[in-house]
Amino acid sequence: MVHLLDQAATVAALLTHNFGGDGSFDEPSDAPGLAGMVDCVTNLLTAANARAAGLGATETAQKAILHASSIAEHLSASSRDELYGGQRGFRLGDQFLSMCYWTVGQHAQRAIDDLNASEVRA
């Protein structure tokens, strides 16, 4: 489960970077692979959330995973709301999205730290 969270935190950090204005694109929504990255974070966190209780994760880790997963699912759903030229788009501001993905990454990292401290392996 830690590997799922680690991958999700890494991709969330890339999305934070992209939407924070530090990416290589004037319009963050033009970044290639954006839709796949959004889906990747959501899928990884959904899988981690499903496994958390069954593997004996602490309540703290379970809550952090649930919060990260819930935010990621909401952002993924929001990205499908507005389609422009066949591409996914967001109605939310780029800086807000950057903060959201930063939060997702922080929750994932908090869960990783808690799982490592409690020596939950999976």
Side-chain angles (χ1 to χ4, degrees), residues 5-108:
L5 294 168
D6 188 47
Q7 290 173 20
T10 300
V11 178
L14 292 171
L15 289 166
T16 298
H17 181 76
N18 180 60
F19 285 114
D22 297 324
S24 301
F25 300 91
D26 291 335
E27 293 294 326
S29 294
D30 290 340
L34 179 65
M37 290 171 61
V38 168
D39 288 338
C40 178
V41 171
T42 303
N43 293 339
L44 289 166
L45 290 170
T46 299
N49 191 35
R51 293 182 187 178
L55 294 175
T58 65
E59 184 179 351
T60 302
Q62 287 182 39
K63 285 182 179 180
I65 295 167
L66 175 62
H67 291 158
S69 177
S70 297
I71 295 168
E73 286 179 33
H74 175 73
L75 292 171
S76 180
S78 295
S79 74
R80 289 184 185 90
D81 282 349
E82 191 172 296
L83 295 174
Y84 181 75
Q87 297 180 350
R88 295 167 80 170
F90 290 92
R91 288 187 276 175
L92 307 170
D94 290 340
Q95 289 298 316
F96 178 73
L97 289 169
S98 179
M99 290 186 295
C100 288
Y101 279 109
W102 179 84
T103 302
V104 167
Q106 293 300 305
H107 280 302

